[in-house]
Amino acid sequence: IARYCVPMRQEDRLGAILALLADHGSVGVVETADRLGTSQATIRRDLQALEEQGLVKRTHGGAVPAGVLYELPMRYRGARQQEEKGRIAELAAGLIDESAATVGLCGGTTTSEVARFLGMRGGLKIVTNALNIAAELALRPAIDLVVTGGTVRTESYELIGPVAERALEGFNLDASFLGVGGVSATAGVTTHHEVEAQTNRAMILQSARAIVVADGTKVGRRACARIAAAS
């Protein structure tokens, strides 16, 4: 059982609690406080904060999800597999050579890391449908940034739907980076939301090269909506 030995920020604790709920279906105050290395009073306050956001329902001695947690909200995912995602992103960004001019980035915690590495380079046009990536790259004057329109999906900070797809049709991308909910040989690359999957597929169709960035927890897993077959 993983236990945390240093104090965690509240945002990281909330993400850890939601991850435990997604994995186990319920959490107990005593066990969660022990696992996260904090007090039971702190965990009770965290559960109250999550309940106020409509993410959990408190029970006697713990909590259960307010709904089915297919995926964590984006704001609580950043701390998971952070070191692995950083290494993946550095390697992935290195796959973009000097001849590449236009790169697409969909949403996700690992693609956000890729964006940071690409942002250190100049001479790239980056097209993204992710609001958090756009906010990061807007501060980089050497990057020519294009943001699609679309309907905001609050779980992933992505702009999705017909408006985003029509915007993507106007570009020829040398490469695109995709964050996914799962990747397997049989199910292909998948995500948790069918409209998001369709928008990500639109990015692939405009790309000469599609690069999936996913940490080991996604390998062999399949979510409900297929973005594309493995082929």
Side-chain angles (χ1 to χ4, degrees):
I1 298 174
R3 286 181 170 83
Y4 294 82
C5 300
V6 295
M8 300 174 70
R9 298 178 307 159
Q10 185 187 40
E11 183 174 298
D12 295 338
R13 286 197 312 273
L14 298 183
I17 291 168
L18 289 173
L20 290 170
L21 282 166
D23 291 340
H24 303 292
S26 66
V27 293
V29 170
V30 176
E31 296 84 355
T32 305
D34 180 54
R35 179 172 293 193
L36 300 187
T38 189
S39 69
Q40 295 178 31
T42 296
I43 296 301
R44 290 190 185 95
R45 288 193 294 270
D46 290 343
L47 293 177
Q48 181 178 348
L50 291 171
E51 186 174 50
E52 290 170 355
Q53 296 174 48
L55 295 171
V56 309
K57 292 181 180 178
R58 296 178 72 185
T59 62
H60 180 69
V64 296
V68 179
L69 285 175
Y70 293 114
E71 61 178 324
L72 297 183
M74 180 74 171
R75 64 187 179 278
Y76 296 131
R77 279 187 265 154
R80 305 190 82 192
Q81 289 80 44
Q82 186 66 38
E83 182 181 351
E84 293 90 337
K85 290 175 181 180
R87 296 205 306 268
I88 292 167
E90 184 175 12
L91 176 62
L95 298 176
I96 303 302
D97 59 33
E98 297 301 324
S99 64
T102 307
V103 177
L105 286 165
C106 77
T109 52
T110 311
T111 52
S112 297
E113 292 294 320
V114 174
R116 293 188 181 100
F117 281 100
L118 292 178
M120 299 174 188
R121 298 169 49 173
L124 286 177
K125 179 187 287 291
I126 292 183
V127 180
T128 186
N129 68 322
L131 293 173
N132 63 312
I133 289 175
E136 172 88 19
L137 294 179
L139 304 175
R140 309 277 187 170
I143 296 294
D144 185 4
L145 176 66
V146 178
V147 184
T148 71
T151 301
V152 176
R153 182 167 184 254
T154 56
E155 291 85 353
S156 63
Y157 298 161
E158 285 184 286
L159 298 165
I160 61 174
V163 173
E165 291 156 26
R166 285 196 296 270
L168 289 167
E169 289 172 0
F171 292 94
N172 292 315
L173 304 174
D174 295 299
S176 61
F177 290 95
L178 301 167
V180 299
V183 55
S184 75
T186 54
V189 288
T190 55
T191 188
H192 300 280
H193 191 274
E194 60 274 14
V195 181
E196 181 182 308
Q198 187 169 321
T199 301
N200 291 346
R201 188 181 307 120
M203 183 176 285
I204 288 178
L205 291 173
Q206 301 305 123
S207 303
R209 184 184 191 190
I211 302 168
V212 175
V213 287
D215 65 73
T217 65
K218 307 293 178 61
V219 177
R221 176 182 293 182
R222 66 180 191 175
C224 66
R226 175 180 283 190
I227 300 170
S231 60

